[in-house]
Amino acid sequence: MKDLKRTKIKELLDAPIIGKKVNVKGWVRTFRNNQFIAINDGSTINNIQGVVDFENTDEKTLKRITTGACISITGDLAESKGKGQSVEVIVENIEILGDADPEKYPLQPKKHSLEFLREIAHLRVRTNTFSAIYRIRHAMIFAVHKFFTERGFYNVHTPIITGSDAEGAGEMFRVTTLDPLNPAKDEDGNVNYKEDFFGKETNLTVSGQLEGETACMGLSEIYTFGPTFRAENSNTSRHLAEFWMIEPEMAFYDINDNMDLAEAFVKYLVNYALDNCADDLTFLNQRALDDEKTKPQQERNELSLLERLRFVAENDFERITYTEAIDILKNSKPNKKKKFQYLIEEWGADLQSEHERFLVEKHFKKPVILYNYPKDIKAFYMRQNDDGKTVAAMDVLFPGIGEIIGGSQREERYNLLKQRIDEIGIPEKDLWWYLDLRKFGSAPHSGFGLGFERMIQFVSGMTNIRDVIPFPRTPDNAEF
Ligand code: 4AD
Ligand code: MG
Protein backbone atom coordinates (compact mmCIF):
# COMPACT_ATOMS: atom_id res chain seq x y z
CA MET A 1 0.00 0.00 0.00
CA LYS A 2 2.96 2.29 0.68
CA ASP A 3 3.73 2.45 -3.01
CA LEU A 4 0.40 3.89 -4.06
CA LYS A 5 1.09 7.17 -5.81
CA ARG A 6 -0.26 10.31 -4.20
CA THR A 7 -3.16 12.06 -5.90
CA LYS A 8 -3.75 15.76 -5.46
CA ILE A 9 -7.00 16.72 -3.80
CA LYS A 10 -7.96 18.96 -6.72
CA GLU A 11 -7.73 16.02 -9.08
CA LEU A 12 -9.87 13.83 -6.81
CA LEU A 13 -12.56 16.47 -6.49
CA ASP A 14 -12.54 17.49 -10.16
CA ALA A 15 -12.81 13.96 -11.56
CA PRO A 16 -13.65 11.51 -8.80
CA ILE A 17 -13.54 7.79 -9.55
CA ILE A 18 -15.77 6.14 -6.98
CA GLY A 19 -14.30 2.92 -5.60
CA LYS A 20 -10.75 3.73 -6.62
CA LYS A 21 -8.06 3.30 -3.99
CA VAL A 22 -6.22 6.56 -3.49
CA ASN A 23 -3.49 8.08 -1.40
CA VAL A 24 -3.80 11.67 -0.18
CA LYS A 25 -1.20 13.68 1.65
CA GLY A 26 -1.83 17.01 3.29
CA TRP A 27 -2.38 19.04 6.44
CA VAL A 28 -5.22 18.46 8.85
CA ARG A 29 -7.61 21.40 9.00
CA THR A 30 -10.04 19.83 11.48
CA PHE A 31 -10.74 16.47 13.05
CA ARG A 32 -14.31 15.95 14.25
CA ASN A 33 -15.82 13.25 16.42
CA ASN A 34 -12.66 11.15 16.27
CA GLN A 35 -13.84 10.29 12.79
CA PHE A 36 -13.90 13.02 10.14
CA ILE A 37 -10.64 14.57 9.02
CA ALA A 38 -10.69 17.61 6.75
CA ILE A 39 -7.40 17.55 4.82
CA ASN A 40 -5.99 20.21 2.54
CA ASP A 41 -2.92 20.01 0.30
CA GLY A 42 -3.07 23.46 -1.29
CA SER A 43 -4.02 22.18 -4.74
CA THR A 44 -7.45 23.74 -4.22
CA ILE A 45 -9.23 25.74 -1.57
CA ASN A 46 -11.46 22.70 -0.98
CA ASN A 47 -10.62 20.03 1.57
CA ILE A 48 -11.21 16.35 1.17
CA GLN A 49 -12.76 14.44 3.99
CA GLY A 50 -11.12 11.29 5.32
CA VAL A 51 -13.37 9.01 7.34
CA VAL A 52 -11.49 7.12 10.02
CA ASP A 53 -12.64 3.77 11.39
CA PHE A 54 -11.92 4.86 14.94
CA GLU A 55 -12.79 1.53 16.52
CA ASN A 56 -10.01 -0.13 14.58
CA THR A 57 -7.44 2.65 14.80
CA ASP A 58 -5.15 2.75 17.79
CA GLU A 59 -5.73 5.45 20.36
CA LYS A 60 -2.24 6.90 19.98
CA THR A 61 -2.64 7.57 16.27
CA LEU A 62 -6.07 9.15 16.75
CA LYS A 63 -4.55 11.53 19.29
CA ARG A 64 -1.96 12.64 16.76
CA ILE A 65 -4.55 13.67 14.15
CA THR A 66 -4.65 17.31 15.19
CA THR A 67 -5.10 20.58 13.36
CA GLY A 68 -1.88 21.38 11.50
CA ALA A 69 -0.47 17.85 11.51
CA CYS A 70 0.72 16.47 8.21
CA ILE A 71 -0.73 13.11 7.32
CA SER A 72 -0.93 10.54 4.58
CA ILE A 73 -4.13 8.56 4.19
CA THR A 74 -4.95 5.67 1.91
CA GLY A 75 -8.35 4.20 1.18
CA ASP A 76 -11.22 3.92 -1.27
CA LEU A 77 -12.92 6.97 -2.70
CA ALA A 78 -16.62 6.85 -1.85
CA GLU A 79 -19.62 9.03 -2.39
CA SER A 80 -20.09 11.12 0.70
CA LYS A 81 -23.20 10.83 2.83
CA GLY A 82 -22.39 14.00 4.70
CA LYS A 83 -23.18 17.53 3.72
CA GLY A 84 -20.65 19.83 2.12
CA GLN A 85 -18.66 17.37 0.06
CA SER A 86 -19.39 15.01 -2.80
CA VAL A 87 -16.72 12.41 -2.16
CA GLU A 88 -14.60 11.21 0.74
CA VAL A 89 -11.81 8.76 1.45
CA ILE A 90 -12.67 5.74 3.58
CA VAL A 91 -9.39 5.54 5.47
CA GLU A 92 -7.75 2.11 5.63
CA ASN A 93 -4.32 3.29 6.48
CA ILE A 94 -3.11 6.46 8.09
CA GLU A 95 0.43 7.65 8.59
CA ILE A 96 1.39 10.72 10.59
CA LEU A 97 4.15 12.46 8.66
CA GLY A 98 4.55 15.41 11.01
CA ASP A 99 2.90 16.13 14.35
CA ALA A 100 1.58 19.55 15.34
CA ASP A 101 1.33 19.77 19.12
CA PRO A 102 -2.14 21.30 19.72
CA GLU A 103 -0.82 23.08 22.81
CA LYS A 104 1.72 24.93 20.71
CA TYR A 105 0.42 25.12 17.15
CA PRO A 106 -0.69 28.73 16.71
CA LEU A 107 -3.21 28.22 13.90
CA GLN A 108 -6.39 26.90 15.39
CA PRO A 109 -9.59 26.35 13.40
CA LYS A 110 -11.14 29.67 14.32
CA LYS A 111 -11.01 33.16 12.85
CA HIS A 112 -7.64 34.76 13.44
CA SER A 113 -7.01 38.43 12.77
CA LEU A 114 -4.91 39.36 9.74
CA GLU A 115 -2.54 41.20 12.09
CA PHE A 116 -1.93 38.03 14.08
CA LEU A 117 -1.45 36.03 10.89
CA ARG A 118 1.25 38.48 9.74
CA GLU A 119 3.21 37.56 12.85
CA ILE A 120 3.12 33.93 11.77
CA ALA A 121 3.64 34.55 8.08
CA HIS A 122 5.55 31.25 7.87
CA LEU A 123 2.33 29.39 8.69
CA ARG A 124 -0.39 31.57 7.25
CA VAL A 125 -0.22 29.86 3.84
CA ARG A 126 -2.11 27.05 5.57
CA THR A 127 -5.24 29.16 5.90
CA ASN A 128 -7.93 29.38 3.22
CA THR A 129 -7.39 33.11 2.77
CA PHE A 130 -3.65 32.95 2.21
CA SER A 131 -3.54 29.79 0.16
CA ALA A 132 -6.13 31.45 -2.11
CA ILE A 133 -3.92 34.54 -2.41
CA TYR A 134 -0.80 32.49 -3.18
CA ARG A 135 -2.69 30.63 -5.90
CA ILE A 136 -4.08 33.86 -7.35
CA ARG A 137 -0.58 35.39 -7.36
CA HIS A 138 0.62 32.42 -9.36
CA ALA A 139 -2.26 32.69 -11.81
CA MET A 140 -1.57 36.41 -12.27
CA ILE A 141 2.16 35.83 -12.86
CA PHE A 142 1.27 33.33 -15.54
CA ALA A 143 -1.31 35.67 -17.07
CA VAL A 144 1.25 38.49 -17.27
CA HIS A 145 3.61 36.34 -19.32
CA LYS A 146 0.73 35.03 -21.43
CA PHE A 147 -0.59 38.51 -22.22
CA PHE A 148 2.76 39.82 -23.41
CA THR A 149 3.79 36.65 -25.18
CA GLU A 150 0.54 36.70 -27.16
CA ARG A 151 1.43 40.24 -28.28
CA GLY A 152 5.00 39.48 -29.30
CA PHE A 153 6.71 41.19 -26.35
CA TYR A 154 9.97 39.76 -25.01
CA ASN A 155 10.64 39.34 -21.30
CA VAL A 156 13.90 40.99 -20.29
CA HIS A 157 15.78 40.64 -17.01
CA THR A 158 17.04 44.00 -15.87
CA PRO A 159 19.66 44.33 -13.12
CA ILE A 160 18.72 44.32 -9.46
CA ILE A 161 21.92 46.09 -8.43
CA THR A 162 22.27 49.40 -10.26
CA GLY A 163 24.13 52.68 -10.07
CA SER A 164 21.22 54.84 -11.15
CA ASP A 165 18.12 56.23 -9.48
CA ALA A 166 15.56 55.79 -12.25
CA GLU A 167 12.77 57.64 -10.51
CA GLY A 168 15.03 60.37 -9.14
CA ALA A 169 13.32 60.20 -5.78
CA GLY A 170 16.42 59.19 -3.83
CA GLU A 171 14.63 56.39 -2.02
CA MET A 172 17.25 53.72 -2.48
CA PHE A 173 18.76 50.92 -0.43
CA ARG A 174 22.52 51.10 -0.63
CA VAL A 175 24.47 48.02 -1.74
CA THR A 176 27.98 47.95 -0.34
CA THR A 177 30.66 45.68 1.08
CA LEU A 178 32.43 48.51 2.89
CA ASP A 179 32.82 48.14 6.63
CA PRO A 180 30.16 50.46 8.12
CA LEU A 181 32.35 51.21 11.13
CA ASN A 182 35.50 51.82 9.19
CA PRO A 183 34.76 52.58 5.51
CA ALA A 184 37.52 53.57 3.10
CA LYS A 185 37.85 57.37 3.02
CA ASP A 186 39.19 59.78 0.40
CA GLU A 187 41.46 62.78 1.06
CA ASP A 188 38.47 64.93 2.03
CA GLY A 189 37.31 62.41 4.60
CA ASN A 190 34.31 61.26 2.56
CA VAL A 191 33.50 57.59 2.03
CA ASN A 192 35.56 56.42 -0.93
CA TYR A 193 33.27 54.30 -3.06
CA LYS A 194 36.10 53.64 -5.49
CA GLU A 195 37.20 51.14 -2.86
CA ASP A 196 33.75 49.55 -2.72
CA PHE A 197 32.88 46.26 -4.42
CA PHE A 198 31.78 47.77 -7.73
CA GLY A 199 34.16 50.72 -7.57
CA LYS A 200 31.20 53.07 -7.40
CA GLU A 201 28.05 53.74 -5.40
CA THR A 202 25.37 51.16 -6.04
CA ASN A 203 21.85 50.49 -4.83
CA LEU A 204 18.94 48.09 -5.24
CA THR A 205 16.86 49.04 -8.26
CA VAL A 206 13.78 51.24 -7.89
CA SER A 207 12.70 50.40 -11.45
CA GLY A 208 13.91 48.38 -14.42
CA GLN A 209 12.66 51.00 -16.84
CA LEU A 210 15.87 52.66 -17.97
CA GLU A 211 17.51 49.36 -18.85
CA GLY A 212 14.17 48.22 -20.29
CA GLU A 213 14.32 51.17 -22.68
CA THR A 214 17.67 49.99 -24.01
CA ALA A 215 16.09 46.64 -24.87
CA CYS A 216 13.05 48.14 -26.60
CA MET A 217 15.42 50.11 -28.84
CA GLY A 218 16.32 46.87 -30.58
CA LEU A 219 13.53 44.42 -29.80
CA SER A 220 10.67 46.94 -30.25
CA GLU A 221 8.45 45.56 -27.48
CA ILE A 222 9.69 44.20 -24.19
CA TYR A 223 8.58 43.83 -20.59
CA THR A 224 10.34 43.31 -17.30
CA PHE A 225 8.88 41.60 -14.25
CA GLY A 226 11.15 41.97 -11.30
CA PRO A 227 11.63 42.84 -7.68
CA THR A 228 11.72 46.54 -6.92
CA PHE A 229 13.04 48.24 -3.81
CA ARG A 230 12.07 51.56 -2.32
CA ALA A 231 13.29 52.96 0.96
CA GLU A 232 10.34 55.31 1.30
CA ASN A 233 9.25 55.55 4.86
CA SER A 234 5.55 55.19 4.17
CA ASN A 235 3.64 52.94 6.50
CA THR A 236 0.48 52.68 4.41
CA SER A 237 -1.73 49.84 3.28
CA ARG A 238 -0.40 50.30 -0.29
CA HIS A 239 3.38 50.59 0.11
CA LEU A 240 6.04 47.94 0.43
CA ALA A 241 9.80 48.42 0.62
CA GLU A 242 10.14 45.35 -1.64
CA PHE A 243 7.54 44.75 -4.31
CA TRP A 244 7.24 43.33 -7.81
CA MET A 245 6.71 45.46 -10.85
CA ILE A 246 5.85 44.71 -14.46
CA GLU A 247 7.29 47.29 -16.84
CA PRO A 248 6.53 47.05 -20.57
CA GLU A 249 8.44 49.36 -22.88
CA MET A 250 7.40 49.83 -26.50
CA ALA A 251 9.11 51.52 -29.41
CA PHE A 252 6.77 53.47 -31.74
CA TYR A 253 4.02 53.82 -29.11
CA ASP A 254 2.74 57.27 -28.21
CA ILE A 255 0.91 58.16 -25.00
CA ASN A 256 -2.46 57.03 -26.42
CA ASP A 257 -1.10 53.66 -27.52
CA ASN A 258 0.39 53.40 -24.04
CA MET A 259 -2.97 54.03 -22.35
CA ASP A 260 -4.67 51.52 -24.65
CA LEU A 261 -2.13 48.86 -23.73
CA ALA A 262 -2.37 49.58 -20.00
CA GLU A 263 -6.16 49.31 -20.06
CA ALA A 264 -6.12 46.12 -22.12
CA PHE A 265 -3.49 44.63 -19.81
CA VAL A 266 -5.29 45.08 -16.51
CA LYS A 267 -8.59 43.98 -18.04
CA TYR A 268 -6.87 40.84 -19.32
CA LEU A 269 -5.52 40.07 -15.84
CA VAL A 270 -8.93 40.56 -14.25
CA ASN A 271 -10.60 38.36 -16.85
CA TYR A 272 -7.95 35.71 -16.41
CA ALA A 273 -8.63 35.65 -12.68
CA LEU A 274 -12.40 35.44 -13.21
CA ASP A 275 -11.96 32.57 -15.67
CA ASN A 276 -9.29 30.62 -13.81
CA CYS A 277 -9.56 31.33 -10.08
CA ALA A 278 -13.30 30.86 -9.57
CA ASP A 279 -13.11 28.79 -6.36
CA ASP A 280 -10.63 31.10 -4.70
CA LEU A 281 -12.49 34.23 -5.77
CA THR A 282 -15.81 32.85 -4.54
CA PHE A 283 -14.19 32.27 -1.17
CA LEU A 284 -12.57 35.72 -1.06
CA ASN A 285 -15.81 37.33 -2.21
CA GLN A 286 -17.65 35.82 0.76
CA ARG A 287 -14.79 36.74 3.06
CA ALA A 288 -15.02 40.37 1.93
CA LEU A 289 -18.80 40.38 2.35
CA ASP A 290 -18.45 39.13 5.94
CA ASP A 291 -15.81 41.76 6.54
CA GLU A 292 -18.05 44.52 5.17
CA LYS A 293 -20.72 43.71 7.73
CA THR A 294 -18.37 44.80 10.50
CA LYS A 295 -17.90 48.26 8.90
CA PRO A 296 -20.09 51.35 9.26
CA GLN A 297 -22.61 51.73 6.43
CA GLN A 298 -20.86 54.66 4.70
CA GLU A 299 -17.55 52.80 4.45
CA ARG A 300 -19.05 49.75 2.82
CA ASN A 301 -18.42 48.96 -0.83
CA GLU A 302 -21.40 49.38 -3.09
CA LEU A 303 -20.23 46.41 -5.13
CA SER A 304 -19.00 43.01 -3.99
CA LEU A 305 -15.52 41.84 -4.98
CA LEU A 306 -16.80 39.79 -7.91
CA GLU A 307 -19.01 42.64 -9.06
CA ARG A 308 -16.04 45.02 -8.94
CA LEU A 309 -13.94 42.65 -11.01
CA ARG A 310 -16.65 42.26 -13.63
CA PHE A 311 -17.24 45.98 -13.67
CA VAL A 312 -13.60 46.73 -14.41
CA ALA A 313 -13.39 44.02 -17.06
CA GLU A 314 -16.49 45.27 -18.88
CA ASN A 315 -16.35 49.07 -18.76
CA ASP A 316 -14.17 51.62 -20.50
CA PHE A 317 -11.85 53.52 -18.20
CA GLU A 318 -12.37 57.26 -17.97
CA ARG A 319 -9.51 59.25 -19.53
CA ILE A 320 -9.01 62.84 -18.43
CA THR A 321 -6.11 65.25 -18.30
CA TYR A 322 -4.53 66.40 -15.08
CA THR A 323 -5.89 69.88 -15.78
CA GLU A 324 -9.46 68.57 -16.03
CA ALA A 325 -8.94 66.61 -12.83
CA ILE A 326 -7.78 69.71 -10.97
CA ASP A 327 -10.94 71.53 -12.05
CA ILE A 328 -13.13 68.71 -10.80
CA LEU A 329 -11.23 68.49 -7.52
CA LYS A 330 -11.17 72.23 -6.92
CA ASN A 331 -14.94 72.38 -7.19
CA SER A 332 -15.57 69.14 -5.31
CA LYS A 333 -17.51 69.01 -2.05
CA PRO A 334 -14.64 67.67 0.11
CA ASN A 335 -12.39 70.45 -1.18
CA LYS A 336 -14.95 73.20 -0.58
CA LYS A 337 -15.82 71.83 2.85
CA LYS A 338 -12.11 71.39 3.64
CA LYS A 339 -12.52 67.66 4.11
CA PHE A 340 -9.40 66.77 2.12
CA GLN A 341 -6.26 66.63 4.21
CA TYR A 342 -4.46 68.37 1.33
CA LEU A 343 -6.69 71.03 -0.22
CA ILE A 344 -6.44 71.59 -3.95
CA GLU A 345 -5.80 75.25 -4.47
CA GLU A 346 -4.02 75.59 -7.75
CA TRP A 347 -2.82 73.94 -10.90
CA GLY A 348 0.47 72.19 -10.25
CA ALA A 349 -0.48 70.53 -6.98
CA ASP A 350 0.62 66.93 -6.60
CA LEU A 351 -2.36 64.61 -6.27
CA GLN A 352 -2.60 62.62 -3.06
CA SER A 353 -4.30 59.30 -2.76
CA GLU A 354 -7.40 60.98 -1.23
CA HIS A 355 -7.82 62.96 -4.48
CA GLU A 356 -7.25 59.97 -6.69
CA ARG A 357 -9.78 57.98 -4.75
CA PHE A 358 -12.33 60.79 -4.88
CA LEU A 359 -12.11 60.87 -8.68
CA VAL A 360 -12.42 57.10 -9.00
CA GLU A 361 -14.80 56.18 -6.22
CA LYS A 362 -17.05 59.20 -5.91
CA HIS A 363 -16.91 61.24 -9.10
CA PHE A 364 -16.55 58.81 -11.99
CA LYS A 365 -17.24 55.54 -10.16
CA LYS A 366 -14.89 53.69 -12.52
CA PRO A 367 -11.15 53.37 -13.16
CA VAL A 368 -9.62 56.62 -14.38
CA ILE A 369 -6.54 57.28 -16.48
CA LEU A 370 -5.08 60.71 -15.74
CA TYR A 371 -2.62 62.07 -18.29
CA ASN A 372 -0.56 65.15 -19.13
CA TYR A 373 0.75 66.05 -15.69
CA PRO A 374 2.79 69.15 -14.77
CA LYS A 375 6.39 68.35 -15.56
CA ASP A 376 7.61 69.47 -12.15
CA ILE A 377 5.85 66.68 -10.28
CA LYS A 378 6.96 63.92 -12.64
CA ALA A 379 10.20 62.08 -13.47
CA PHE A 380 12.93 63.50 -15.73
CA TYR A 381 12.45 61.00 -18.54
CA MET A 382 8.87 61.92 -19.47
CA ARG A 383 8.21 63.53 -22.84
CA GLN A 384 7.62 67.26 -22.74
CA ASN A 385 4.39 68.46 -24.32
CA ASP A 386 4.24 71.48 -26.62
CA ASP A 387 2.57 73.61 -23.93
CA GLY A 388 5.91 73.81 -22.13
CA LYS A 389 4.24 72.96 -18.81
CA THR A 390 3.15 69.37 -18.98
CA VAL A 391 4.64 65.98 -19.79
CA ALA A 392 3.02 62.97 -21.46
CA ALA A 393 2.60 61.06 -18.21
CA MET A 394 -0.28 58.76 -17.42
CA ASP A 395 -1.44 57.13 -14.19
CA VAL A 396 -4.14 54.48 -13.96
CA LEU A 397 -6.24 54.90 -10.82
CA PHE A 398 -8.31 52.08 -9.35
CA PRO A 399 -11.12 51.94 -6.80
CA GLY A 400 -9.91 51.06 -3.31
CA ILE A 401 -6.29 51.25 -4.46
CA GLY A 402 -5.54 54.61 -6.03
CA GLU A 403 -2.57 54.53 -8.42
CA ILE A 404 -2.05 51.04 -9.79
CA ILE A 405 -0.05 51.98 -12.91
CA GLY A 406 2.34 54.84 -13.59
CA GLY A 407 3.83 55.45 -17.01
CA SER A 408 4.56 57.89 -19.81
CA GLN A 409 5.73 58.52 -23.30
CA ARG A 410 9.52 58.95 -23.00
CA GLU A 411 11.51 61.98 -24.06
CA GLU A 412 13.21 60.71 -27.20
CA ARG A 413 14.73 64.07 -28.23
CA TYR A 414 18.35 64.31 -27.12
CA ASN A 415 18.45 68.05 -26.50
CA LEU A 416 15.28 68.21 -24.46
CA LEU A 417 16.27 65.22 -22.35
CA LYS A 418 19.77 66.56 -21.75
CA GLN A 419 18.30 69.90 -20.75
CA ARG A 420 15.96 68.25 -18.24
CA ILE A 421 18.74 66.11 -16.76
CA ASP A 422 20.86 69.25 -16.29
CA GLU A 423 17.95 71.21 -14.80
CA ILE A 424 17.32 68.55 -12.22
CA GLY A 425 21.02 68.10 -11.60
CA ILE A 426 21.47 64.41 -12.37
CA PRO A 427 25.17 63.73 -13.04
CA GLU A 428 25.61 62.89 -16.71
CA LYS A 429 28.14 60.21 -15.85
CA ASP A 430 25.29 58.14 -14.40
CA LEU A 431 23.13 58.38 -17.50
CA TRP A 432 25.55 58.56 -20.47
CA TRP A 433 24.27 55.28 -21.81
CA TYR A 434 20.65 56.39 -21.46
CA LEU A 435 21.44 59.56 -23.40
CA ASP A 436 23.20 57.43 -26.03
CA LEU A 437 19.83 55.89 -26.92
CA ARG A 438 18.78 59.38 -28.05
CA LYS A 439 21.97 59.83 -30.05
CA PHE A 440 21.84 56.59 -31.98
CA GLY A 441 18.62 55.64 -33.74
CA SER A 442 16.26 57.32 -31.31
CA ALA A 443 12.56 56.58 -31.68
CA PRO A 444 9.32 57.66 -30.04
CA HIS A 445 8.57 55.16 -27.31
CA SER A 446 6.44 54.65 -24.22
CA GLY A 447 6.01 52.38 -21.25
CA PHE A 448 4.50 51.96 -17.83
CA GLY A 449 4.85 50.09 -14.57
CA LEU A 450 2.15 48.00 -12.91
CA GLY A 451 2.59 47.38 -9.19
CA PHE A 452 1.98 43.65 -8.98
CA GLU A 453 0.92 43.65 -5.33
CA ARG A 454 -1.54 46.48 -5.88
CA MET A 455 -3.03 44.44 -8.71
CA ILE A 456 -3.30 41.42 -6.40
CA GLN A 457 -4.96 43.65 -3.79
CA PHE A 458 -7.57 44.62 -6.34
CA VAL A 459 -8.18 41.07 -7.53
CA SER A 460 -8.28 39.51 -4.06
CA GLY A 461 -10.09 42.34 -2.28
CA MET A 462 -7.44 42.39 0.47
CA THR A 463 -7.20 45.87 1.91
CA ASN A 464 -3.63 45.70 3.22
CA ILE A 465 -0.73 45.16 0.83
CA ARG A 466 1.09 43.20 3.56
CA ASP A 467 -1.43 40.43 3.00
CA VAL A 468 -0.85 39.86 -0.71
CA ILE A 469 2.88 39.07 -0.68
CA PRO A 470 4.21 36.05 1.23
CA PHE A 471 6.75 37.95 3.31
CA PRO A 472 6.17 41.72 3.35
CA ARG A 473 9.05 44.12 3.85
CA THR A 474 8.01 47.42 5.42
CA PRO A 475 9.69 49.94 7.72
CA ASP A 476 10.87 48.11 10.87
CA ASN A 477 9.83 44.76 9.50
CA ALA A 478 12.00 42.20 7.72
CA GLU A 479 11.13 39.09 9.71
CA PHE A 480 11.35 35.71 7.96
O1 4AD B 1 4.76 55.18 -10.56
P1 4AD B 1 6.02 54.41 -10.36
O2 4AD B 1 7.01 54.92 -9.38
O3 4AD B 1 6.65 54.30 -11.82
C1 4AD B 1 7.86 53.77 -12.14
O4 4AD B 1 8.62 53.21 -11.38
C2 4AD B 1 8.14 53.83 -13.61
N1 4AD B 1 9.58 53.56 -13.81
C3 4AD B 1 7.28 52.84 -14.34
C4 4AD B 1 7.50 52.86 -15.81
O5 4AD B 1 7.07 53.80 -16.45
N2 4AD B 1 8.16 51.84 -16.33
O6 4AD B 1 5.67 52.92 -9.97
C5 4AD B 1 4.83 52.14 -10.81
C6 4AD B 1 3.81 51.39 -9.98
C7 4AD B 1 2.87 52.28 -9.18
O7 4AD B 1 1.82 52.74 -9.97
C8 4AD B 1 2.42 51.35 -8.09
O8 4AD B 1 1.40 50.47 -8.55
C9 4AD B 1 3.66 50.51 -7.84
O9 4AD B 1 4.47 50.61 -8.98
N3 4AD B 1 4.39 50.98 -6.66
C10 4AD B 1 4.41 50.35 -5.47
N4 4AD B 1 3.81 49.24 -5.05
C11 4AD B 1 4.03 48.85 -3.77
N5 4AD B 1 4.83 49.52 -2.91
C12 4AD B 1 5.46 50.65 -3.28
N6 4AD B 1 6.25 51.28 -2.44
C13 4AD B 1 5.26 51.12 -4.62
N7 4AD B 1 5.73 52.17 -5.33
C14 4AD B 1 5.19 52.06 -6.57
MG1 MG C 1 3.78 56.84 -9.87
Side-chain angles (χ1 to χ4, degrees):
M1 200 138 54
K2 275 234 150 106
D3 295 328
L4 192 60
K5 209 170 154 257
R6 165 186 168 237
T7 310
K8 290 195 186 209
I9 293 171
K10 183 174 187 335
E11 206 177 307
L12 291 183
L13 297 179
D14 283 354
I17 302 174
I18 302 300
K20 188 181 178 202
K21 194 175 292 301
V22 296
N23 170 259
V24 173
K25 292 183 173 68
W27 291 268
V28 176
R29 286 292 171 83
T30 55
F31 185 36
R32 285 186 299 123
N33 302 344
N34 246 356
Q35 199 178 3
F36 303 110
I37 322 174
I39 309 174
N40 190 281
D41 66 1
S43 58
T44 151
I45 193 144
N46 299 306
N47 303 326
I48 196 154
Q49 173 158 286
V51 184
V52 183
D53 176 3
F54 60 95
E55 280 166 358
N56 293 308
T57 307
D58 72 276
E59 192 84 4
K60 255 191 174 160
T61 305
L62 288 174
K63 279 226 165 77
R64 293 171 67 194
I65 308 172
T66 60
T67 296
C70 187
I71 64 174
S72 168
I73 58 172
T74 306
D76 290 343
L77 201 64
E79 255 168 70
S80 178
K81 295 181 203 87
K83 272 194 291 181
Q85 68 270 328
S86 54
V87 291
E88 58 195 18
V89 179
I90 307 301
V91 178
E92 280 168 43
N93 186 278
I94 180 162
E95 199 185 332
I96 312 285
L97 301 177
D99 291 286
D101 183 345
E103 302 283 306
K104 296 189 179 129
Y105 185 61
L107 259 186
Q108 291 305 316
K110 60 163 197 177
K111 198 166 161 53
H112 292 290
S113 74
L114 293 171
E115 288 78 11
F116 171 73
L117 292 172
R118 268 172 232 149
E119 288 168 21
I120 52 164
H122 60 308
L123 298 173
R124 65 180 179 170
V125 65
R126 301 188 201 179
T127 64
N128 283 335
T129 300
F130 286 92
S131 60
I133 290 165
Y134 273 65
R135 279 187 295 271
I136 288 173
R137 265 187 86 99
H138 168 78
M140 292 294 90
I141 293 166
F142 184 75
V144 166
H145 291 297
K146 193 161 153 21
F147 174 84
F148 287 118
T149 303
E150 283 169 7
R151 281 161 186 73
F153 285 56
Y154 301 108
N155 184 208
V156 171
H157 287 157
T158 47
I160 291 169
I161 301 173
T162 76
S164 59
D165 177 7
E167 292 306 301
E171 293 162 335
M172 298 169 299
F173 289 101
R174 195 183 288 292
V175 174
T176 178
T177 53
L178 292 177
D179 178 354
L181 291 178
N182 188 22
K185 300 259 177 73
D186 63 17
E187 293 128 40
D188 303 327
N190 298 320
V191 175
N192 186 0
Y193 289 103
K194 291 208 177 82
E195 297 287 312
D196 203 349
F197 188 91
F198 296 106
K200 62 186 282 191
E201 282 193 71
T202 49
N203 52 271
L204 295 176
T205 185
V206 296
S207 161
Q209 177 194 322
L210 304 191
E211 293 88 349
E213 282 184 55
T214 70
C216 104
M217 285 294 148
L219 295 170
S220 291
E221 283 124 336
I222 66 96
Y223 67 105
T224 71
F225 190 164
T228 309
F229 307 89
R230 297 201 182 168
E232 52 192 332
N233 205 351
S234 19
N235 246 316
T236 78
S237 58
R238 302 172 307 112
H239 286 88
L240 291 165
E242 177 181 303
F243 62 99
W244 290 73
M245 186 154 58
I246 298 122
E247 296 184 277
E249 196 65 40
M250 301 76 65
F252 320 120
Y253 275 48
D254 68 13
I255 181 84
N256 291 310
D257 302 322
N258 203 24
M259 290 194 269
D260 290 344
L261 185 76
E263 182 167 342
F265 179 41
V266 287
K267 283 182 169 165
Y268 183 96
L269 294 182
V270 168
N271 274 318
Y272 191 88
L274 286 168
D275 292 345
N276 294 276
C277 307
D279 286 354
D280 290 324
L281 287 180
T282 304
F283 171 81
L284 290 169
N285 189 57
Q286 191 53 49
R287 185 191 176 285
L289 288 176
D290 295 344
D291 205 39
E292 290 277 292
K293 290 188 194 127
T294 67
K295 291 190 200 158
Q297 191 73 39
Q298 66 271 21
E299 282 173 32
R300 290 187 196 167
N301 270 305
E302 280 167 38
L303 301 180
S304 73
L305 171 63
L306 285 170
E307 286 167 340
R308 290 200 298 279
L309 295 179
R310 287 192 203 106
F311 183 86
V312 163
E314 287 162 10
N315 288 285
D316 285 345
F317 296 1
E318 191 72 35
R319 296 184 189 188
I320 59 163
T321 64
Y322 167 91
T323 304
E324 289 167 314
I326 286 290
D327 282 341
I328 294 169
L329 289 167
K330 250 210 275 195
N331 297 315
S332 70
K333 244 196 206 164
N335 203 56
K336 288 187 161 159
K337 296 197 162 169
K338 303 202 184 322
K339 287 272 158 58
F340 282 142
Q341 202 188 333
Y342 297 88
L343 295 177
I344 297 290
E345 271 150 16
E346 58 191 58
W347 193 92
D350 204 353
L351 299 186
Q352 306 295 326
S353 118
E354 56 181 346
H355 309 128
E356 298 174 343
R357 294 185 61 170
F358 173 83
L359 291 170
V360 172
E361 290 160 29
K362 299 280 187 298
H363 191 83
F364 290 110
K365 292 184 188 290
K366 48 158 61 173
V368 174
I369 309 185
L370 281 188
Y371 63 99
N372 290 351
Y373 281 74
K375 69 175 181 191
D376 292 335
I377 59 171
K378 288 291 181 186
F380 72 92
Y381 51 70
M382 297 188 177
R383 190 176 198 278
Q384 297 177 47
N385 289 325
D386 294 338
D387 61 13
K389 301 194 299 190
T390 61
V391 285
M394 64 110 187
D395 279 3
V396 181
L397 314 177
F398 257 40
I401 308 280
E403 181 192 332
I404 197 162
I405 283 180
S408 73
Q409 185 167 341
R410 318 308 188 189
E411 185 54 82
E412 84 284 12
R413 297 161 295 186
Y414 179 87
N415 290 340
L416 288 170
L417 181 63
K418 176 79 173 62
Q419 199 186 334
R420 196 78 188 117
I421 286 176
D422 292 343
E423 256 168 42
I424 294 178
I426 307 171
E428 201 182 321
K429 70 167 174 34
D430 292 347
L431 285 179
W432 63 272
W433 52 273
Y434 188 71
L435 281 161
D436 260 8
L437 301 179
R438 279 75 180 165
K439 270 193 214 157
F440 309 122
S442 190
H445 64 291
S446 299
F448 62 82
L450 170 71
F452 187 60
E453 280 72 23
R454 291 196 188 168
M455 187 67 205
I456 303 295
Q457 276 190 278
F458 181 72
V459 171
S460 67
M462 299 302 284
T463 51
N464 196 310
I465 200 164
R466 292 166 178 80
D467 297 326
V468 296
I469 187 164
F471 298 103
R473 267 77 182 100
T474 50
D476 284 325
N477 176 36
E479 193 64 43
F480 309 103

